[in-house]
Amino acid sequence: MSTSGDTRTWTDDQLRQAVADNKSWRAVARAVGLKGTSAGTIRSLQRHTTRLELNTSHFTGQRQWSDPQLRAVMLRATCWADVLAGLGVADIPQNRVRMKGHAVRLGLDCTHLRTTDLPSSASDVFSEPAQPEMLRTAAPALAMAWFAMRGCAVALPVEPQVYDLLVTTAKGIQRVQVKSCARQDSKGHWSVEIGRRPYVLDKSAGKMPYDPDDIDLFFIVLGDGSIYLMPSSVLGGRVRIYAETYAPYRVGDASSLLAAGGDTA
């Protein structure tokens, strides 16, 4: 059956009754003897409903609540959880998004609704402790942030290189190798490995120094947050250093980021 053109199999009175008795366009279509799965049929029924100025505010479609019910619940709700509970809808992310969408469509005021309860402290936002063993992974990001905060453009090499970063400074582009040391050794020294392993299959091969022609700067971060920036010429020929003996090259502190207990002070 079709409602195209002027050919109809139902009357205006039948449509009025169907709209009054049902809560979805599919149900209306079935009530007047049409297929509720046809988009063209639904559009035609909507057009005639508009012509007849029929009230469809009680329609819910696949919903179990109507637009007027949403309006009423929104007036007394203080958060989205209240809205969903008031309509008997499960409080899951997709339902929240759908509910917000309907509220926007209806032009309802949502400013009085809290998304979530405000955390009482910073620990309620994120309480995972820092993991010293992750310093090696985090060190390049710390280096990038350190340089970026000083107005230096930072880039990562497209292909694996002997350097980790390319940093644009007042002296030109500097090739930076990032090193880290998470813990002091048994004698209390910050013993930092600054050598590299040769590109061989044997992982037991000893480390060798970086060629000074390949690296301009070493960025070193320690487990206590100390940051060192050293020219490669200062470390030429070395594969390990005690960072504390290079105090003049200590340039910063990131201890609040590395606090084991997750402190933010």
Side-chain angles (χ1 to χ4, degrees), residues 84-126:
L84 272 71
L87 295 174
V89 178
D91 190 354
I92 56 178
Q94 50 266 47
N95 283 346
R96 284 202 176 205
V97 171
R98 188 175 297 114
M99 199 69 66
K100 290 177 182 179
H102 283 294
V104 170
R105 174 178 59 81
L106 295 173
L108 303 182
D109 180 14
C110 305
T111 57
H112 64 291
L113 300 181
R114 303 189 308 272
T115 301
T116 58
D117 291 332
L118 293 176
S120 58
S121 67
S123 62
D124 291 332
V125 178
F126 188 82

Side-chain angles (χ1 to χ4, degrees), residues 55-60 63 65-75 87 106 108:
N55 179 24
T56 59
S57 63
H58 60 290
F59 277 27
T60 62
R63 297 179 271 130
W65 46 271
S66 65
D67 290 348
Q69 287 175 315
L70 177 58
R71 288 190 179 93
V73 169
M74 289 279 288
L75 287 175
L87 295 174
L106 295 173
L108 303 182

Side-chain angles (χ1 to χ4, degrees), residues 40-171:
T41 293
I42 299 299
R43 286 194 297 270
S44 178
L45 290 174
Q46 290 172 336
R47 185 171 64 253
H48 285 286
T49 297
T50 300
R51 175 178 60 82
L52 296 171
E53 299 182 348
L54 303 182
N55 179 24
T56 59
S57 63
H58 60 290
F59 277 27
T60 62
Q62 299 301 312
R63 297 179 271 130
Q64 301 302 312
W65 46 271
S66 65
D67 290 348
Q69 287 175 315
L70 177 58
R71 288 190 179 93
V73 169
M74 289 279 288
L75 287 175
R76 61 177 181 269
T78 60
C79 62
W80 284 108
D82 289 347
V83 175
L84 272 71
L87 295 174
V89 178
D91 190 354
I92 56 178
Q94 50 266 47
N95 283 346
R96 284 202 176 205
V97 171
R98 188 175 297 114
M99 199 69 66
K100 290 177 182 179
H102 283 294
V104 170
R105 174 178 59 81
L106 295 173
L108 303 182
D109 180 14
C110 305
T111 57
H112 64 291
L113 300 181
R114 303 189 308 272
T115 301
T116 58
D117 291 332
L118 293 176
S120 58
S121 67
S123 62
D124 291 332
V125 178
F126 188 82
S127 59
E128 294 297 323
Q131 302 176 40
E133 63 273 16
M134 297 304 296
L135 181 57
R136 181 178 180 181
T137 300
L142 293 175
M144 294 177 70
W146 190 90
F147 283 111
M149 287 297 294
R150 285 152 182 81
C152 299
V154 183
L156 296 170
V158 176
E159 297 180 359
Q161 300 287 344
V162 293
Y163 50 85
D164 294 315
L165 305 173
L166 287 171
V167 180
T168 302
T169 72
K171 296 182 179 180

